[in-house]
Amino acid sequence: MPASIRLQAQRGFTLVEILIASTILFMVLASATLSYRTLVSSEQQASEVVELHTVLPVILDTLQNQIREQELLTELSGSGEIFRWKFEWIATQLRKTPPARRFDPNLSEFTDYQPRYAVYNIALTVATKDGKTRNFEYQELAWEKGPASPADSR
């Protein structure tokens, strides 16, 4: 048989062609696997954030009620658990102020009041279900219950 007839009769892939095709296939599979892992990880993080932001308003309302029910001290703290989310908080009083002055027409003078409003800086730590913690900080207003009492004019 002549050499040209043998080349035409030869069919299939060479070892080099198979190695190149295998390398390309491996790279495509590796990038697809990496993309899938990233997608799953991002989905888990997004799900956790959505769940936290669902329960966070309930926690904030609970803190607001706890702070407003207590005496206006310079520092308050507490902890709790809502829907399996554990939280701790510390409130530090930034300032305590009186209501605005009012003019009393019967006395023809302004009346000053005792301080009864307190602004607190709240440091909140929320523990996620997998043990991670998220920290939040905000300010809250609280006040003494009952009518405002005039300041001593001595």
Side-chain angles (χ1 to χ4, degrees):
M1 249 181 178
S4 62
I5 294 176
R6 269 192 275 140
L7 287 179
Q8 288 178 353
Q10 187 181 21
R11 297 201 178 252
F13 298 104
T14 65
L15 180 59
V16 173
E17 292 171 331
I18 291 175
L19 287 175
I20 291 173
S22 299
T23 303
I24 292 171
L25 178 64
F26 174 73
M27 289 190 314
V28 168
L29 289 174
S31 66
T33 302
L34 182 61
S35 296
Y36 180 73
R37 282 186 181 174
T38 304
L39 175 72
V40 168
S41 174
S42 297
E43 189 274 331
Q44 287 174 340
Q45 289 175 346
S47 176
E48 184 178 295
V49 168
V50 166
E51 190 173 348
L52 174 63
H53 286 273
T54 300
V55 76
L56 199 55
V58 178
I59 292 173
L60 295 179
D61 285 344
T62 302
L63 291 184
Q64 184 181 59
N65 290 334
Q66 287 179 5
I67 290 169
R68 289 183 180 172
E69 292 297 320
Q70 295 185 27
E71 206 175 312
L72 298 182
L73 303 174
T74 55
E75 190 165 298
L76 305 170
S77 63
S79 63
E81 183 175 347
I82 295 178
F83 304 125
R84 298 179 297 163
W85 290 80
K86 295 180 182 178
F87 62 92
E88 295 179 355
W89 59 274
I90 296 174
T92 306
Q93 191 179 94
L94 298 176
R95 63 186 172 278
K96 190 172 180 182
T97 60
R101 298 175 66 191
R102 289 196 173 175
F103 184 76
D104 187 346
N106 297 330
L107 300 174
S108 297
E109 62 183 33
F110 283 96
T111 303
D112 293 319
Y113 293 95
Q114 294 287 339
R116 65 179 300 210
Y117 299 111
V119 177
Y120 288 96
N121 189 55
I122 312 294
L124 171 64
T125 302
V126 179
T128 62
K129 295 175 185 176
D130 59 355
K132 296 178 187 173
T133 59
R134 298 281 307 260
N135 297 315
F136 300 92
E137 193 168 321
Y138 67 99
Q139 293 182 354
E140 184 68 51
L141 176 67
W143 53 86
E144 292 177 355
K145 300 201 178 348
S149 57
D152 290 335
S153 57
R154 297 179 198 173

